[in-house]
Amino acid sequence: MNSRPRVPYIAILILKSEVSGSYTPPMFSEDIVLIHACSLDQARAAAESRGRGDETSYANEYGETVTWTFVGVADVQEALYDSLDEDVSLYSRSFDDLTQYKQVFSIESLQYESDS
């Protein structure tokens, strides 16, 4: 049993959205979520599990398959305040250039198959 109390952590998850049969490049989503955990390692594991759980596919109004794929955890930090509700998304924003995102935020740990 872990004697350290659960505290809030903020995690940044990166997901990729692709549309089958589309000639448009993939879009990326940066989701900022609140995770309660007893340690940074536990928070990172929970963030990765949450990201994998957010993967989904569905048909859009044109009959094309939209697929959301988890790319990775960009960052996990302990929250500045501990009086927050559990496990809620704080906000999400989308972008279309993962390479530029990695350069802007100096994040080399994200891997995407077209990065080579």
Side-chain angles (χ1 to χ4, degrees), residues 38-65:
C38 297
S39 68
L40 180 60
D41 288 340
Q42 191 181 73
R44 181 170 288 283
E48 290 175 3
S49 178
R50 166 93 183 238
R52 284 189 294 279
D54 285 347
E55 292 183 323
T56 189
S57 291
Y58 56 88
N60 65 14
E61 66 265 21
Y62 305 108
E64 302 163 320
T65 301

Side-chain angles (χ1 to χ4, degrees), residues 4-24:
R4 185 164 182 227
R6 287 171 28 109
V7 297
Y9 288 84
I10 305 300
I12 301 174
L13 311 179
I14 307 300
L15 292 105
K16 175 181 70 167
S17 173
E18 293 182 293
V19 179
S20 68
S22 175
Y23 294 102
T24 61

Side-chain angles (χ1 to χ4, degrees), residues 90-106:
L90 301 176
Y91 81 92
S92 176
R93 64 181 173 188
S94 297
F95 53 94
D96 61 1
D97 188 342
L98 183 60
T99 302
Q100 183 179 12
Y101 177 89
K102 287 168 50 175
Q103 291 171 346
V104 168
F105 293 103
S106 301

